[in-house]
Amino acid sequence: MQTIADYLDLDGQSTYRIIAYEKAAALFREHPISVAEMAQQGGLRRLPGVGEAIEKKVLEYVATGDIEFLARLRDRFPEGLLTVMRLPGMGPKKTKAIHEQAGVADLRDLERAAREGRLRDLPGMGAKTEENILRAIETWTAVAAGQDSGRKLRAAVEPQAIKFVEALRALPQVAAADFAGSLRRCRSTVRDMDLVVASLDPEAVMAAFATLPELARVEAQGETKLAAATYTGLNVDLRVVPPDSYGDLLQHFTGSAEHNVALRGYAQRRGYKISEYGVEPVESGRHIRCATEAEVYELVGLRYIPPELREDQGEIQAAEVGMLPDLVELPDVRGDLHVHSDWTDGRVSLEQMALAARDRGLDYLCFCDHSQSLAMTGGLSPERLMAQQAEIRALDARIEGIRLLSGIEVDILADGRLDLPDETLARLDFVTASIHSGFSQPPARIMERIVGAMRNPCVRSVAHPSGRLINRREGYEIDIDLLARVAAETGTFLEINGFPDRLDLTAQAARRAAALGARMVVCSDAHSPGDFENLRWGVGEARRGWLTKADLANTGAWESIAEKRPGH
Ligand code: DGT
Ligand code: CA
Ligand code: ZN
């Protein structure tokens, strides 16, 4: 479907038709159960936006393995042109021109033609265009390599894992079930889904599991193990053990591999052998099975180590001496200091966001919509910002149970200035500053821009400090030591942005920043009510960064953070 959409675009067809195919493509890609089966049973048209034309094409594809309509398009344009068209700065018109006039059929042709200077004489192009194309190809190749890593966002996998675990727990033969692996450790991305089950009847468990409608196929099955794949393209590993050894398996399968190696080494030095089957005191030759993970750790003289810390980053030493941090938890977060509304690129009104935040139990919510230079988002001028503030004040007076605050996500411009004058910023309850342009500047220059913003007495926090977008864009290189020192000195917070593909600061950066005395805030950057879930992903990253409640400013009441308090 995506291929059809791209071809229609290349062919210069109406945007309306293109969007219909794009929507269907996205819908099918993320659909948890078989689209082919739904089509055969005549249920495809129930999906939003799927009409007769699309249904017919799916049925044709299921029956013949191809779509004639697509075959005809393929005859007219080589498929490699679609990649060329998707390259930033290319688009359908240019792509067609380059195809017809320079004989370019795919990305490699394009690269060669640009290198040999064969594009500069085409209408509307020049030597500069060739340079841009070469740079775009370089970036595209790097990004494609990154996506090949096949890692998926935790937020895209966890809801399905929860469903699977619930289905398993509902089986009469099952005593316990959990997801393990990187997902349980709250890593921002995961390669697959690891499930563990306690049961005395593995055969029945696996048979029931294999019938779940989300599973496309079972790839391998043994006496206590099963490997399957979902329709969303995810591999699932299921392991079943007797309940009295559940702790051993859960511990092993949660990992990380590095943590397990370190734990086993530590245990060995104390005369124990740990495996996925149990703990053996070497002297006695006994074999002790553990029903819970806590017993595994306790047997070898350690406190229980939360999964998020199991990365061999000093957690075993800390557990040995009772110095593990008391990790922050989601309910500790009292307020969200970075959300959007339909005043800029948010999808719903101030009121709808406020009610959603109250439903989640937050005590306060600060609207930080975009500032004027981000014209694409309808960024706010000083006048509109003040109009928004009046509306927020009125709403705050009207709505019970949550305190509403007026702020801004002010853009740090390429030259380092802020996008709004100080006199405007000074009238707000909270200001977060962030970078949306000038990513290609030298890292030191970008740091200067951020540090400059932090030194402004109106600026309270820095949003998504590294600018990374997981699987799409590396962040600029940040000097976290510098940011943390200035944060501590000026009393500016560093944000852990909870968007599933941002999680920025990263856990490692946040841990370092906290060690240098900086305080953080976990925010959702919500653009719609559902995005408040981002607080959960953000807290996961904070926990991986060893942060406690005290490290996060928005675990306190609004009064405790209302004023900027420069530190030491
Ligand atoms: P992923 O799947 O790349 O997102 O990361 P994990 O940690 O989920 O890795 P995975 O699925 O390959 O394995 C699940 C757990 O099984 C892993 O966290 C620890 C354990 N494990 C896997 N391979 C090894 C190994 O070679 N040695 C030890 N000690 N444990 C392992
Ligand atoms: Ca895994
Ligand atoms: Zn934002």
Side-chain angles (χ1 to χ4, degrees), residues 478-492:
I478 61 172
D479 179 344
I480 189 62
D481 285 24
L482 173 67
L483 292 190
R485 284 203 187 93
V486 178
E489 176 201 326
T490 58
T492 313

Side-chain angles (χ1 to χ4, degrees), residues 129-191:
T129 324
E130 289 174 345
E131 255 172 58
N132 289 342
I133 286 176
L134 286 174
R135 194 146 357 103
I137 292 178
E138 205 176 294
T139 317
W140 187 89
T141 317
V143 169
Q147 279 167 349
D148 272 354
S149 73
R151 299 191 70 85
K152 292 185 190 287
L153 295 179
R154 173 185 165 217
V157 175
E158 206 198 76
Q160 196 162 45
I162 291 174
K163 269 181 90 178
F164 286 169
V165 165
E166 280 170 358
L168 287 164
R169 286 180 183 162
L171 296 174
Q173 301 88 351
V174 168
D178 286 282
F179 54 78
S182 48
L183 199 58
R184 182 156 179 254
R185 302 197 311 278
C186 296
R187 274 197 62 171
S188 55
T189 62
V190 302
R191 184 179 52 85

